[in-house]
Structures are given as structure tokens and as C-alpha cells.
Amino acid sequence: MLNLILFGPPGAGKGTQAQHIIEKYGLVQLSTGDMLRSQIAAKTELGLKAQQIMANGDLVSDEIVVGMIKSIVHNDKQAKGYIFDGFPRTVKQAQALDSLLAEIGEGISQLILLDVNDDELKARLLNRGKDSGRADDQDVSIIENRIKVFKDQTIPVMEHYAKFNKSAKIEGVGSLDEIFERIISVIDKL
Ligand code: B4P
């Protein structure tokens, strides 16, 4: 299996690039952000818990997101591999993911960081916020909090996989095609 973590700060292009990667490599995309937003739209108990946390730009609890991922990985026996988009966001989530994959005799093949500077992130997210309807994309102070949360709680995930030589960093500024080519050149070396 090819199991990739698409990694980066909010607005780095994870969701955008994941679409192209799944088409080329036939992987299953698991975006915890999308899963949480569908729970909110369906007004489930889980969605109600996550809604305010996400609107503030904070992280939903590890238990909730790990539980969502677990149920899919355990039930999908046909997958050629996964692209984890927006997950793991804490070292605890990374450890839970490693154990989950080990249970099916698998592991993470590579983490790929899309490196983008803070000014570009803010501009992209505010731009998306004009028509996305996402509360977390419409307020600079919330976007700044999301970037801070990434630096404080999520960067250690990259260090966790670097210990196993499984972290790669690519430039995340440029056209969508240029960035996709950079990602392909990392994947094709695996
Ligand atoms: P996510 O849904 O993961 O939100 P995101 O980081 O904003 O998305 P993404 O990074 O994929 O967006 P993209 O760059 O593609 O999470 C939202 C919230 O959910 C979190 O804050 C948290 O509360 C919660 N959550 C999710 N997962 C969690 C977890 N594991 N643990 C705890 N909480 C969790 O796109 C951004 C914009 O940039 C788009 O408009 C796009 O068109 C544009 N763009 C992309 N590439 C570009 C390029 N090359 N040039 C110019 N613009 C570009």
C-alpha cells in the first residue's frame, strides 16, 4: 500500500492537491476537515461538539478524529492506499495512526509538507472565505490562531516521521501544476 500524509499549515493546498493525487495513484482520500464539516452539516452529536472548536480555529479532540479514521481504515479492505489530508495534527494522533496501520500490517510511506509562508496562507484563506461560507476562513485573528496551532501542536508530527526518514518538504507556492509535479517527484522515488 502507498500511505501518504499530505501535511502543511491551513491553506497550504492539502485538499487541493489531494484531489490530483487520488486521481493519479488511485488512493482513498481521508480528510478529517471534510469529515467534520459533514458531521456539522448533518447536525450530529459529534458535529455539534466540533462546530465551535472549528469556528475558533482550535483542534477537535484526538479521540474524535482518531475514531473517525479508525472506522474507515478498519472497514475498507479494498483500498490501494490512503492519502491522509489534515490528519494527523498532533503527535498523539500520529501514534494512533501508526498503531492503526500496524494492525493491518501497514505503515506510513511518506509525509509530504507543503511549505507556504504565513502571508500567502492568510491571503488564500481570506480569499476562499469570500464564498466558502466557512467561519474559520473569514477572520484574520482566527486564521492567525490556526497558523499558531499548526506551529505549536502540528509541526511535531513532521519531526515524529523525520525520525524514521519519512518526512519530505516541498515548496508549496507556485501554480497548482508546478506543485503537483514536485509532489509526484517525491512519490515516484518511493
Ligand atoms: P481542514 O479542513 O484540514 O482545513 P484547512 O487546513 O484549511 O484545509 P486545506 O489546507 O486542505 O485547504 P487548501 O490548502 O487546499 O481543517 C479545518 C479545521 O478542522 C481545523 O482548523 C480543525 O479545527 C479541524 N480539524 C481537521 N482535522 C483535524 C484533526 N486531525 N485534529 C483536530 N482538528 C481537526 O486550500 C486553501 C485555499 O488555498 C483554497 O482556496 C485553494 O484554492 C487555495 N490554494 C491552494 N493551492 C494554491 C496555490 N498553489 N496557489 C494559490 N492558491 C492556492
Side-chain angles (χ1 to χ4, degrees):
M1 273 173 118
L2 177 64
N3 295 309
L4 303 172
I5 297 174
L6 202 52
F7 192 77
K14 305 182 292 287
T16 308
Q17 293 294 339
Q19 292 302 323
H20 299 284
I21 299 170
I22 54 174
E23 272 170 37
K24 184 167 167 67
Y25 295 96
L27 306 178
V28 173
Q29 179 192 6
L30 294 182
S31 160
T32 42
D34 287 349
M35 289 178 201
L36 290 165
R37 281 185 288 278
S38 6
Q39 294 284 336
I40 293 173
K43 296 189 167 44
T44 63
E45 193 183 328
L46 192 159
L48 293 173
K49 270 191 205 155
Q51 189 161 24
Q52 194 53 46
I53 301 170
M54 289 172 72
N56 291 337
D58 292 321
L59 294 183
V60 174
S61 80
D62 292 333
E63 288 66 28
I64 289 182
V65 287
V66 169
M68 292 190 316
I69 293 283
K70 200 176 206 166
S71 63
I72 295 178
V73 172
H74 275 172
N75 292 321
D76 186 350
K77 309 281 183 228
Q78 307 299 324
K80 279 162 76 182
Y82 293 99
I83 176 147
F84 297 97
D85 159 11
F87 175 87
R89 266 175 152 97
T90 63
V91 171
K92 222 171 149 191
Q93 291 180 19
Q95 289 164 340
L97 177 61
D98 293 343
S99 310
L100 187 57
L101 290 173
E103 284 166 23
I104 55 165
E106 290 293 332
I108 287 300
S109 316
Q110 185 76 54
L111 172 152
I112 303 174
L113 164 71
L114 302 177
D115 192 27
V116 178
N117 65 69
D118 292 1
D119 287 343
E120 171 77 12
L121 296 173
K122 285 183 215 171
R124 286 184 189 180
L125 293 173
L126 285 171
N127 191 39
R128 181 171 68 182
K130 285 181 201 157
D131 43 34
S132 70
R134 278 179 56 171
D136 59 345
D137 281 348
Q138 291 171 13
D139 180 319
V140 178
S141 64
I142 289 172
I143 292 173
E144 284 170 346
N145 183 46
R146 289 162 66 193
I147 295 172
K148 181 176 183 309
V149 167
F150 174 77
K151 289 178 181 164
D152 293 348
Q153 298 185 53
T154 307
I155 283 284
V157 170
M158 179 162 185
E159 291 151 7
H160 169 80
Y161 289 103
K163 283 191 272 180
F164 310 102
N165 276 328
K166 291 198 168 156
S167 284
K169 174 161 111 174
I170 62 151
E171 173 61 55
V173 179
S175 73
L176 298 185
D177 288 346
E178 282 165 348
I179 296 164
F180 186 49
E181 286 302 321
R182 290 173 199 147
I183 294 174
I184 290 176
S185 72
V186 173
I187 298 175
D188 286 350
K189 281 193 202 116
L190 293 175

